[in-house]
Amino acid sequence: MVRRKLVLRFPASAVENPFVYTLAKEYNVVANILKANINPRKEGRLVVELYAEEKDYEAAIDFLQSRGVTILPLAQQIVWVEENCTQCGACTGICPTGALWIKRPEMTVSFDGEKCIVCEHCLKACPARAVEARYLSGE
Ligand code: SF4
Ligand code: SF4
């Protein structure tokens, strides 16, 4: 089974089509809608999680693309909210890549997003909710 979070962009001509129904009925793909909107140009944007057997998933993606739907991965990013950080240092001991680290000689916690592999260990370790996981849709 595959489970993927995606951003689907629909051209105005396709917005009225019952894609979620078709994915379920014709392709055995479960589509969990996380967010949906239509812009002033009548183009649709759907953030979904698709869950299916690999071959059904591939067939469903081909179907969507054949109908003019643009498909983008929904990327996750860790954001350090510096103003919430109490400088306790708990995250720096468990961060496997040194993305959260102690700057010396100041002895202050810093974050280097380039080193982050989004393992999410810091989300559980931080008592102050100073690290957050955010989804980027490539827009
Ligand atoms: S998600 Fe993982 S790699 Fe990224 S800052 Fe947190 S602990 Fe470090
Ligand atoms: S665990 Fe949270 S509060 Fe503590 S240093 Fe890390 S980000 Fe700051």
Side-chain angles (χ1 to χ4, degrees), residues 41-58:
R41 296 189 303 278
K42 305 278 189 223
E43 295 158 338
R45 180 175 173 277
L46 212 57
V47 181
V48 287
E49 183 174 43
L50 299 184
Y51 184 62
E53 295 286 352
E54 181 87 42
K55 68 173 178 30
D56 291 332
Y57 175 83
E58 299 295 342

Side-chain angles (χ1 to χ4, degrees), residues 16-63:
E16 302 288 323
N17 294 349
F19 283 110
V20 171
Y21 174 78
T22 305
L23 291 181
K25 185 143 183 15
E26 306 289 333
Y27 297 94
N28 300 316
V29 173
V30 177
N32 179 23
I33 298 173
L34 305 174
K35 199 171 171 185
N37 57 44
I38 296 177
N39 70 21
R41 296 189 303 278
K42 305 278 189 223
E43 295 158 338
R45 180 175 173 277
L46 212 57
V47 181
V48 287
E49 183 174 43
L50 299 184
Y51 184 62
E53 295 286 352
E54 181 87 42
K55 68 173 178 30
D56 291 332
Y57 175 83
E58 299 295 342
I61 294 296
D62 287 347
F63 160 71

Side-chain angles (χ1 to χ4, degrees), residues 77-80 91-101 110-113 115-125 131-132:
Q77 186 186 57
I78 295 294
V79 175
W80 179 52
C91 57
T92 61
I94 50 93
C95 178
T97 64
L100 280 158
W101 58 291
S110 290
F111 177 64
D112 181 352
K115 291 184 179 172
C116 178
I117 57 169
V118 197
C119 69
E120 300 190 359
H121 292 340
C122 55
L123 293 181
K124 297 173 197 121
V131 277
E132 297 175 358

